[in-house]
Structure formats: structure tokens, C-alpha cells
Amino acid sequence: DPAMRLAAVLALSDIGSPGALQMLEKCVEDTERDVRVAAARALGGRAYRPALPRVEKALKGKPLRESNLTEKMAFFEAYGAIAGAAALKPMSAILLPRGLLRMKEPSETRACAAIALGRVRTAEARDVLQRAADDKDLVVRSAVSRALKGAAP
């Protein structure tokens, strides 16, 4: 039952022990969106490194690209918090404009990458965010502004 799985995820998140977090890892691949979002938020909130491969897999997968903004944001935030400085290169590649003939990522995805960089909290991440601060896309600019408020000085 999805409601029971969600309740279990919330309880495991509150417990926060290594065993509980290990169980939460599996929940990022649940069939129910709310369970996946809660699990990603819990793992990202604790920067639980062992969950990184599952979170990366979700970011690269087609289902997340087709999901709603809430789920994308939860996974990108978790990735930024868990991966730390290692998230700088892949998130920069999504956020910053590319060459003339290469297509940009969708606005939502670029905004999520900005939020992820805000969770990295390094001077390098802040520099990337500042380069994107004058982006033409309002959605991206807004996300960059929010991320800069939480990024390292």
C-alpha cells in the first residue's frame, strides 16, 4: 500500500540510523512518486553518501525527466547534498549555456541544477551560479537567485 510505504519512509527518516538510511536507499526506486520524493529528501537532508549511485541513476533515467517539478527538485537537491563537490561538473554542464549548435536543457532541468549547486556550498559552485545569474530564462534566474542565497560566500 503506497500510504503505508510513505509512512514507513517518514518513520525511517525520523529514525535516521545507518540501518534506516540503508532501507531508504531502496525507496528512491519505489513505484509511488510520493515515496520516492520523501526518500530522496530524507537521504539528501542527511547527505547519505551510500545513496549516491541510486540517486545518480535516477537523475540519468528517463522517468525523472518526464516527472513533475517536485520530484525533479527533490532528486537534484539530494544529488547536490550527497555528491558535494563532485556534483559541480555535471550540474554546471546542465546549467550553463553550451556551444552555438548544442541544445540547452529544458528550463526546469536547468533550474534544478542550479538548486543542486546551491546545496554543494563551495566557492566554485557559487562562481558557476553567479555566471548563470543573468540567464535569459526567468525560471532559471529565479532558481539561481534562490541557490545563491544558500551557497557558500
Side-chain angles (χ1 to χ4, degrees), residues 12 19 24 26 37 60 68 71 96 105 117 120 153:
L12 290 168
L24 281 174
K26 298 172 187 163
V37 169
K60 294 175 183 175
N68 70 3
E71 186 172 7
L96 297 175
E105 293 285 341
L117 285 168
V120 172

Side-chain angles (χ1 to χ4, degrees), residues 14-34:
D14 287 344
I15 293 168
S17 70
L21 294 174
Q22 196 172 25
M23 294 297 291
L24 281 174
E25 273 185 76
K26 298 172 187 163
C27 297
V28 299
E29 297 170 343
D30 195 271
T31 56
E32 185 67 27
R33 183 188 69 87
D34 291 341

Side-chain angles (χ1 to χ4, degrees), residues 55-118:
V55 172
E56 280 181 323
K57 180 182 173 190
L59 284 181
K60 294 175 183 175
K62 187 176 179 182
L64 189 65
R65 272 187 246 130
E66 295 172 352
S67 67
N68 70 3
L69 182 58
T70 303
E71 186 172 7
K72 285 180 188 175
M73 197 70 77
F75 275 89
F76 273 86
E77 283 185 59
Y79 179 71
I82 295 168
L88 189 63
K89 187 175 179 180
M91 294 299 106
S92 298
I94 293 171
L95 176 61
L96 297 175
R98 300 178 187 191
L100 185 61
L101 299 176
R102 295 185 67 187
M103 291 191 49
K104 282 193 235 181
E105 293 285 341
S107 296
E108 275 187 359
T109 304
R110 294 178 63 228
C112 289
I115 297 298
L117 285 168

